[in-house]
Amino acid sequence: MPGVPTSRGCDGCRKSKKKCDELQPCSRCAKRQIVCQGSGQRRYKFQSLQVPKGAPDKLMPVVSVSTQQPVRLHISHVPNDTLTLMFVNSLEIRDVRYDIAYYGSFLRDLPRRLGSSPALDAASMALVSAHPYFQTKDIPPMVLSRFGKALRTLRDCLNDSKEARSPKTLCAIYLIAICQGWIGKSGKQRSTHSEAIMHLLKAVDLNQYEAGFPRDLILTLCVPVILEGIRDPLIQLPRAFWEHMVVLLHQDPPPPPYNAIPRPHLTVLELSRFPEYLHNPHLHLPEITSTYKELQNDSQKMFIFMGQDLMAMLPDILQSRYRAAYTLVAAVALLLNTILRSFDPSDTTLTQESALFTQSVIEGADRASCDRPLGAAYILPCLIIAMAASDNKQQAAQIEGRLIDYQSDFKTLEWRNCVAWLRSVFENHRMFGRLVKTDLDIDISELGVPGGCAMM
């Protein structure tokens, strides 16, 4: 039965299986220059819940407090189907550290769709079976068996052209990708998932994806494709796909107003342009500059709001997600800042702003420590951007310490390779920027105009 020890040591010492002296901060965290979190706190653990008679297994994830009696989840209606019961119980876990809704709000609409797609059922079973174990990484054979069955079932489903285009098949691929990250299987196949999603998204008829679950699913699945496209320029959704999405999204009812809460303007549609910004920035410098200014304004407003009383009045889960949004805005702003600095390294303002955004990411990682693992899963890519962009040795050392610490949650992400690759991209841009500047200086000198003088 998986559980979390009742030790009151800090999170960092517990994850490293080291004895904690429970100081504030503890000696080990102070030496490593990382935030010391969790000392003296009660821990949560998963316990098994009896399932209906005749069920194929008795695995049922339930959160309970380690120092108290088990807390049973209250469900108004207990479905007859064991898989649906297991999925509902996973969704009932609202602790931000273990809330699977982090991967998309559409998951809450998934239980009533189970039972009509073998691929979706197998992927859902693999997900909820792995959920109680993903933090400890002590994966039992039963979970690995269900993961393998999900892969085989999906493969069979993809051979059916009609089933391959259905929203349920797309959702199955997404759930398998999540499960793969939890159980620590080799990351070599992760790009395959994004590539498969890309090809299926190209083939779907978006007009059949009405508002609600299907369209929320499509938007959620676009994100891993965009992120993979940043690493691999060949993984791209066509511009026609995004133009069609704009038309469909405008037909949806507008979201409820949040007049007092500043929201970032960065949407999935705008994020879809980032792979092109990164790989061919010289063709998009005006757009990059405009987006960067918008992100600057958003980050300033969000930072001010986080220090106001209204922020403290929000529920814990909304506070956590707002902090996540702020850190993500700072990270993507830092990405664009580094691109712009590549073409104008003498701009001291950009250099100062880079240091501020980097510090925001570092502080965001510290704030998110109490939300680990699931509630802080966004931190690793943010830290990777900050590490690749930083030319400050002190900040780089702080980032590296946090990357090492956070990778214990998701060991399949090889952050060192990601940082090295992104740094090489930035260096190529700097070399290109120097060549462009040199060519411009030569052209000006041939006209008899001193380099650096403004042309009137």
Side-chain angles (χ1 to χ4, degrees), residues 3 5 7 9-20 28 32 135-138 405 408 411:
S7 166
C10 74
D11 294 343
C13 291
R14 289 179 58 251
K15 288 181 182 297
S16 301
K17 298 182 180 180
K18 302 292 185 181
K19 183 176 176 62
C20 181
R28 185 170 177 272
R32 298 180 65 195
Q135 187 179 19
T136 64
K137 304 301 181 185
D138 184 16
D405 186 31
S408 62
K411 296 182 179 180

Side-chain angles (χ1 to χ4, degrees), residues 383-452:
L383 287 172
I384 287 171
I385 293 174
M387 188 69 175
S390 178
D391 49 14
N392 181 297
K393 291 184 178 180
Q394 183 177 0
Q395 284 186 326
Q398 293 175 351
I399 297 168
E400 183 174 11
R402 287 157 178 81
L403 277 167
I404 294 172
D405 186 31
Y406 266 91
Q407 193 176 25
S408 62
D409 295 335
F410 298 92
K411 296 182 179 180
T412 56
L413 181 60
E414 300 175 355
W415 65 265
R416 294 185 188 276
N417 292 340
C418 295
V419 169
W421 172 81
L422 192 53
R423 278 178 174 168
S424 68
V425 172
F426 291 149
E427 180 58 30
N428 289 337
H429 293 336
R430 281 190 283 269
M431 292 176 61
F432 182 83
R434 287 194 292 268
L435 289 174
V436 170
K437 186 178 185 302
T438 300
D439 291 343
L440 180 60
D441 289 342
I442 292 174
D443 292 341
I444 292 175
S445 64
E446 289 177 350
L447 293 173
V449 181

Side-chain angles (χ1 to χ4, degrees), residues 101-149:
Y102 167 86
Y103 292 100
S105 59
F106 71 88
L107 290 176
R108 298 202 178 279
D109 196 34
L110 194 57
R112 68 185 182 90
R113 299 173 184 273
L114 297 174
S116 59
S117 166
L120 182 58
D121 289 354
S124 299
M125 179 60 80
L127 185 81
V128 296
S129 299
H131 190 201
Y133 299 96
F134 79 97
Q135 187 179 19
T136 64
K137 304 301 181 185
D138 184 16
I139 310 298
M142 175 270 297
V143 174
L144 297 175
S145 175
R146 289 178 174 176
F147 178 74
K149 179 181 178 180

Side-chain angles (χ1 to χ4, degrees), residues 87-99:
F87 209 106
V88 169
N89 272 280
S90 290
L91 290 170
E92 285 291 319
I93 298 173
R94 300 302 178 90
D95 186 327
V96 67
R97 296 175 296 173
Y98 309 106
D99 188 357

Side-chain angles (χ1 to χ4, degrees), residues 174-213:
Y174 184 56
L175 297 185
I176 288 174
I178 295 171
C179 187
Q180 182 171 297
W182 288 358
I183 66 179
K185 299 294 287 183
S186 172
K188 294 180 180 179
Q189 291 184 335
R190 284 180 296 168
S191 60
T192 304
H193 294 313
S194 298
E195 189 172 359
I197 292 173
M198 175 196 68
H199 289 301
L200 292 177
L201 287 177
K202 287 181 178 180
V204 299
D205 182 2
L206 291 176
N207 290 319
Q208 297 181 3
Y209 282 65
E210 69 274 9
F213 173 85

Side-chain angles (χ1 to χ4, degrees), residues 293-309:
K293 294 298 183 184
E294 191 174 69
L295 290 171
Q296 275 187 300
N297 293 332
D298 287 343
S299 65
Q300 291 173 1
K301 293 176 182 178
M302 295 174 74
F303 177 77
I304 293 173
F305 174 77
M306 288 196 301
Q308 295 177 350
D309 293 339

